[in-house]
Amino acid sequence: MKNDDNNKTEEKQQHKQNKDRTIGILDSRFNQTLRNVQGLLKGRSIPGKILLSQRVDLPDSSNLYSPTYQRSLSYNDAGTNDHTSETREEEVHSTSKPVGSSNESKLKISTAPVENSAEFVRKSSMGGRATDSARVTKFTKVLSGTMVILDKLRELAWSGVPDYMRPTVWRLLLGCAPPNSDRKEGVLRRKRLEYLECVSQCYDIPDTERSDDEINMLRQIAVDCPRTVPDVSFFQQQQVQKSLERILYTWAIRHPASGYVQGINDLVTPFLVVFLSEHLEGDIDSWSMSELTSDKISNVEADCYWCLSKLLDGMQDHYTFAQPGIQRLVFKLKELVRRIDEPVSTHMEQQGLEFLQFAFRWFNCLLIREIPFKLVQRLWDTYLAEGDALPDFLVYIFASFLLTWSDEILKLDFQELVMFLQHLPTQNWTDQELEMVLSRAFMWHTMFNSSPSHLST
């Protein structure tokens, strides 16, 4: 009997040790992931194509923890780009704990550390200027070579591009300019001449040479251009609207599979502002297109056209008939929100709110209508750095964006939810709030993207 008691005691001790070891491994793994996210924001490089936390064979803990945790947290499992940020300085230590089985249905993944890191972002933003020169130096080093290494450029650009470097960086990321600096001028000249030829063949013709569908499409574009970014006076200038019209109509004629779809007009605006910034100084509200020569305007339009073409090449089915690509991503967003914050998901479902009722516009216009226009360029630095992986990463950004207001959402009924989500209170947002959205998106992507079940379609 004593031997049996001793054996049971030893088994209990062994079980307790295994349990403690499992807790330690899971806690260490989550904390390491969060530290890497915070390191990303503090300017610490995360080497590409490696595990964020070491792969460990865990003891059998199926009775203790959600199976979602039983995996290594690898980055770039789906071929996304490696990210580096150079903008944050301050160290913050996570105190999060793993989630027990009682929370299996609510895979909140302890957002408390992210909420705590809001203080880190607020504090570190005060030291942002100190890192500007270091970031500029790194960008300058990458851009000054005869051959620009695009992977390194994407790592830097993911966390934001200095304003005056943005036109050059965006052209490179979108293939409008070649990475070989010796070929840059020749390639840009050829592309700009090709755009001019397209405009003369497609746009600068009488309506008698257009089909009825083409006439209707041109009329729709002419109606939409004055509605584009209505809260920024610059876009109300007739010359600006004419440039938008030329770019959009020429693109639509050259891409008959989709043609023009409302929402694409919004996607041109970041490119137009960025490439005009090479020729116009000061605040955008003081800009006037009339100050530019026709050649400069033509070159800006050409760069916008080619960058828009490259951007939409990676999401063609977002704008074809019935827009199946957007519908697919809205479904994935719904599933991801259910995994991350089950109470919010359940509340929205109980109120009868469909994700398509608000998220369709988010995917269609890439959040341009949801945040202050002054933040759009920073957001698009990350978009363009993601490259071909952007559509999938949008799901994580939009989940993070939505759950910024999880507490408010839980208090609203259907009508209030519809109004709230169509007019989100972002008018006073700064870079700090946007950085928090992106950091959460990066962390959730790191955790969930390699899971085979969380976004099954």
Side-chain angles (χ1 to χ4, degrees):
M1 291 293 293
K2 290 184 178 180
N3 290 336
D4 291 341
D5 291 340
N6 289 337
N7 290 336
K8 289 180 180 179
T9 301
E10 291 177 0
E11 288 176 0
K12 288 181 180 180
Q13 291 176 347
Q14 183 65 36
H15 179 73
K16 185 178 184 302
Q17 290 174 357
N18 289 340
K19 179 179 177 180
D20 292 342
R21 186 162 59 252
T22 301
I23 291 172
I25 291 171
L26 293 173
D27 191 39
S28 174
R29 184 175 289 182
F30 182 85
N31 285 329
Q32 181 61 44
T33 301
L34 183 65
R35 281 195 295 272
N36 283 327
V37 174
Q38 294 170 337
L40 178 94
L41 292 176
K42 294 193 287 287
R44 295 181 178 178
S45 174
I46 299 177
K49 311 299 183 185
I50 65 168
L51 295 179
L52 287 183
S53 59
Q54 184 178 5
R55 187 181 300 274
V56 180
D57 294 329
L58 296 178
D60 182 12
S61 57
S62 57
N63 295 325
L64 297 174
Y65 299 98
S66 167
T68 306
Y69 277 97
Q70 310 305 315
R71 67 188 187 282
S72 63
L73 300 175
S74 61
Y75 179 53
N76 266 325
D77 285 335
T80 57
N81 297 301
D82 310 318
H83 307 152
T84 303
S85 173
E86 324 300 332
T87 59
R88 308 299 182 196
E89 296 288 348
E90 198 164 335
E91 187 71 43
V92 172
H93 298 288
S94 169
T95 59
S96 65
K97 300 297 180 185
V99 180
S101 58
S102 62
N103 289 333
E104 183 172 348
S105 63
K106 180 191 175 185
L107 265 177
K108 186 89 174 185
I109 313 300
S110 185
T111 56
V114 181
E115 294 165 359
N116 292 340
S117 66
E119 181 64 21
F120 143 72
V121 171
R122 283 193 292 272
K123 290 180 179 179
S124 59
S125 65
M126 295 187 293
R129 293 183 179 180
T131 65
D132 285 347
S133 60
R135 284 183 55 72
V136 169
T137 298
K138 292 187 177 185
F139 271 102
T140 302
K141 183 178 180 180
V142 171
L143 294 172
S144 62
T146 303
M147 180 67 71
V148 175
I149 301 175
L150 293 180
D151 284 346
K152 290 184 178 180
L153 185 61
R154 291 186 191 281
E155 290 178 357
L156 288 171
W158 198 95
S159 300
V161 180
D163 289 345
Y164 74 96
M165 292 184 170
R166 192 169 276 126
T168 299
V169 171
W170 282 20
R171 288 192 192 98
L172 286 165
L173 293 179
L174 286 164
C176 184
N180 188 333
S181 59
D182 293 338
R183 297 179 55 239
K184 175 183 175 182
E185 294 302 322
V187 170
L188 286 176
R189 190 182 308 111
R190 175 179 60 79
K191 286 180 175 289
R192 289 165 178 173
L193 288 173
E194 186 175 342
Y195 170 75
L196 279 178
E197 186 177 347
C198 291
V199 169
S200 64
Q201 292 176 354
C202 302
Y203 183 82
D204 295 332
I205 59 175
D207 284 350
T208 55
E209 297 183 23
R210 306 184 205 273
S211 67
D212 289 343
D213 287 342
E214 290 171 349
I215 291 174
N216 290 334
M217 182 168 63
L218 182 56
R219 286 174 179 167
Q220 184 62 59
I221 291 172
V223 168
D224 287 346
C225 284
R227 301 172 179 172
T228 304
V229 197
D231 55 335
V232 178
S233 60
F234 170 73
F235 289 103
Q236 305 311 307
Q237 296 179 25
Q238 186 174 1
Q239 214 167 351
V240 174
Q241 295 175 8
K242 205 65 179 176
S243 287
L244 286 173
E245 185 177 297
R246 271 193 297 269
I247 296 167
L248 290 166
Y249 183 77
T250 303
W251 183 89
I253 293 297
R254 291 289 299 271
H255 296 80
S258 63
Y260 173 72
V261 176
Q262 286 179 302
I264 297 179
N265 55 311
D266 291 86
L267 306 187
V268 181
T269 58
F271 296 127
L272 189 61
V273 169
V274 165
F275 296 133
L276 280 172
S277 69
E278 292 183 297
H279 309 288
L280 298 173
E281 297 181 352
D283 188 82
I284 184 175
D285 291 330
S286 67
W287 287 3
S288 174
M289 290 275 280
S290 61
E291 299 177 12
L292 303 181
T293 65
S294 58
D295 285 344
K296 287 182 178 179
I297 292 175
S298 175
N299 289 343
V300 168
E301 289 182 15
D303 292 351
C304 291
Y305 169 85
W306 290 112
C307 286
L308 177 69
S309 298
K310 177 61 176 177
L311 174 71
L312 295 184
D313 281 350
M315 48 182 74
Q316 291 182 8
D317 61 352
H318 288 208
Y319 301 99
T320 54
F321 177 73
Q323 299 180 257
I326 290 181
Q327 295 194 50
R328 184 176 62 253
L329 293 182
V330 169
F331 174 80
K332 289 186 175 183
L333 174 62
K334 180 179 179 180
E335 288 299 297
L336 181 60
V337 171
R338 181 176 64 83
R339 291 282 180 167
I340 294 173
D341 198 326
E342 191 271 340
V344 166
S345 176
T346 299
H347 178 72
M348 294 172 69
E349 186 174 345
Q350 289 173 345
Q351 295 300 318
L353 182 68
E354 294 291 337
F355 273 66
L356 275 172
Q357 291 175 278
F358 64 91
F360 187 90
R361 186 174 77 180
W362 296 4
F363 284 103
N364 197 52
C365 304
L366 301 184
L367 287 190
I368 287 178
R369 299 186 186 183
E370 318 307 323
I371 63 174
F373 191 75
K374 63 183 180 180
L375 299 180
V376 168
Q377 295 175 48
R378 167 63 195 93
L379 176 62
W380 277 50
D381 290 337
T382 297
Y383 283 174
L384 303 187
E386 281 292 323
D388 293 338
L390 174 60
D392 286 333
F393 194 65
L394 288 175
V395 175
Y396 295 89
I397 293 178
F398 295 175
S400 178
F401 184 65
L402 173 65
L403 294 177
T404 299
W405 294 279
S406 58
D407 292 340
E408 290 87 343
I409 288 172
L410 290 171
K411 302 173 185 176
L412 304 177
D413 61 22
F414 174 80
Q415 291 293 343
E416 294 169 333
L417 280 170
V418 171
M419 293 300 297
F420 181 75
L421 292 172
Q422 288 180 351
H423 303 89
L424 288 166
T426 61
Q427 62 272 15
N428 295 321
W429 270 30
T430 65
D431 285 344
Q432 293 176 191
E433 287 80 11
L434 184 58
E435 293 292 350
M436 287 306 305
V437 168
L438 293 174
S439 67
R440 282 195 300 265
F442 174 75
M443 183 174 68
W444 290 339
H445 177 270
T446 301
M447 291 181 150
F448 284 126
N449 196 51
S450 61
S451 173
S453 61
H454 83 289
L455 288 180
S456 58
T457 56

